[in-house]
Amino acid sequence: MKKILLLLLAAPLLFSCEDYLERTQKSDLDEEQIFGSYQNFTGFIDNLYGKKLVRYIDQANCACLDMGDDVYGSKDFIASQTFPQGNYWWIWTNTWQNMITESSSGGNYGFWNGWEQIRICNQGFKNLHLLVGATDEQVRLIKGQLHFFRAWYHFELARLWGGLPYIDRFLEPSDNMRFPRLSFKETLLRIIDDLNEAAECLPVDWNQTQQGIAAPDAYLGRATRGAALALKARAYLYAASPLTTRIEKGVAEYDPELCEEAAKAAYEVIKLADQGVYKLVEWKDYSKNFINNTTEQRVVYTKEYIWFKLTTARGNSQLVRIGNIHNSQRFEGKGQVTAATQNMVDMYETKKGLPIDDPDSEYDPMNPWADRDPRLLQTILVDGVKWVATSNISPAADAYVQLYSTGGSGAGNGKDMNSGSGSLTGYLIRKYIPYKANKFDKQTANYQFGIPYIRLAEMYLIYAEAINEVCPSPTAVPSWAPLSAVEAVNIVRRRVKLPIDEDVAKPCELYTYGGESLPDVAAKFTADRETFRKRIWNERSVELAYEGHRWYDIRRWYVAHLPEYKIRYKGVFDKQHTYFRKEVVCNGVFDQKHYWLPFKRTDVQQYEGFTQNPGWN
């Protein structure tokens, strides 16, 4: 840890633009100039929104934290294969592209670089006294962003490595840097302290501050009161979850007191939505949460977004980046595919609103992707979809997704399956790839993709998961809010509309959706807390699929070590779809040590108080 902190002390000042950075490094600006005015101080803070703010879907080898039982990768150098196999040392040995620890030398930044950003926050606090001529509101805006980002980076680090030292002051070379590790719960509570301060200081809407109302999207991506409350809800939920309680008390169960705090924070954001600050987008616009292939908007953004990284990049370079990981090489990929597992496909209910193993679900095992929760075909690309619109393709069969298999390698496999450049599971992920954005149709000039860090749907699901552990039944409401756990989940489900002309061979962009919604959670699942808990878990996995949640969730629920969460399955079916079955594609490795990532060995050898995570030598 001493080396870590010394590295942070050596980190240069970074600012909102390259010219400003260059001048600062040449000492053309002193501290009084940098921090002396609101405008310049804001320039200093703007770096916190820059390229070191890790996009969850950016690096080719570890996109949207695809490491859980919902994915399996086609190559042994990408996270979606190395993590299921238990090789966590990959984060320190893969120096090319991984969003966990990659250094700036590769042009990308990993979560480990968050220590540098924490230092920037503390440097801002240290020099806040130099700010002159600023209004009270301007001081609050500066402080709010510093508190928020210090919490954000500690949170990202802690949920990967567990309890950490909480660095809340600017460190000088003469300071004692032998900081002991806090527990995971203690770290989260310190994060929440910062978020409480952030929520007090930050505005609900930057356009309503006294800084002047500019273009409608001028403040997109700025941290807000809603973002601070939403992250607070998430941090409380992690603190209340079975993994944390097991660490603290030896029993893997929810902490009801912390659950209530998580629910209250989530409900504060829901109230902002009731006031029109946020909203669940209509089903017809659902994909706009993740992709944009038109000229209608400048960035990927909807009113469902609460906290996100702003990006304006467009075009084929964007598609190639996502194609590296989610697409078959035939369409735009690079032959290193992270694909959806049969585990994930099986989580989607039927249009009756029931799990596929429910006798009343009307699930057809010989037509397994039809009449399912519409989010399935919005999220996962299945065999036989006509994925290329142009007729200028030969043979004509190549316009269709080919993920069929004889059950093994060799002749008979579809061109997108098990070929060294396609899927190993019988599925592809399509959530971030719109129809016609491929090398045949070439409609890529306006293509953008993005992933929100936090969106409103998660707040309803955090509220549901947390309040379910507090109230006497899933249908009961607390004294302070008129919303039950069941109703919170149903709000998310009712947004989903059923198609009136479903054809599994067509892209879902060509469907017509009626006014009928996915049914509410069936009454048979809402009678008791334990039964409904599993439906909440399932709803999170489906609604937030491939947005960087599943791997964290199965860990915080303390289930990742169980066989049903370790084994990855693939779908096996022939070209004519005369049979469907699932087979093991990976007997995953997940022991107790895999609940946390290992620290670099040289770091934990610095002093006795900074210990390695259990099981890692």
Side-chain angles (χ1 to χ4, degrees), residues 196-211:
N196 284 331
E197 294 288 340
E200 287 295 317
C201 294
L202 290 171
V204 169
D205 182 349
W206 278 79
N207 281 301
Q208 302 305 314
T209 66
Q210 298 300 311
Q211 307 317 302

Side-chain angles (χ1 to χ4, degrees), residues 17 46 60 103 105 112 119 135 162 169 171 244 353 371 460 463 474 510 575 591 613:
C17 68
D46 281 352
S103 69
S105 61
W112 192 248
R119 173 180 169 79
T135 66
R169 60 188 174 88
L171 298 172
T244 312
D371 297 325
Y460 286 106
Y463 179 88
L510 302 182
K575 184 176 182 179
D591 301 322
N613 277 323

Side-chain angles (χ1 to χ4, degrees), residues 292-300 311-319 321 444-449:
N292 173 34
N293 204 26
T294 72
T295 58
E296 294 176 2
Q297 60 188 59
R298 186 171 63 89
V299 295
V300 179
T311 177
T312 58
R314 288 180 180 268
N316 195 59
S317 62
Q318 286 278 295
L319 184 61
R321 193 178 299 153
T444 59
N446 298 307
Y447 172 74
Q448 297 172 291
F449 68 89

Side-chain angles (χ1 to χ4, degrees), residues 42 55 93 130 133 154 235 252 317 350 389 407 415 497 575 578 582 593 601:
T42 298
R55 294 181 72 200
T93 60
L130 298 176
H154 275 105
S317 62
T350 68
K415 292 184 178 180
K497 304 303 179 185
K575 184 176 182 179
T578 63
K582 70 179 183 180
K593 70 178 183 179
R601 291 186 176 98

Side-chain angles (χ1 to χ4, degrees), residues 594-616:
H594 292 106
Y595 276 98
W596 303 115
L597 300 184
F599 292 101
K600 190 180 292 186
R601 291 186 176 98
T602 53
D603 288 337
V604 297
Q605 292 169 357
Q606 297 304 306
Y607 62 90
E608 186 176 352
F610 189 74
T611 56
Q612 180 62 279
N613 277 323
W616 300 104

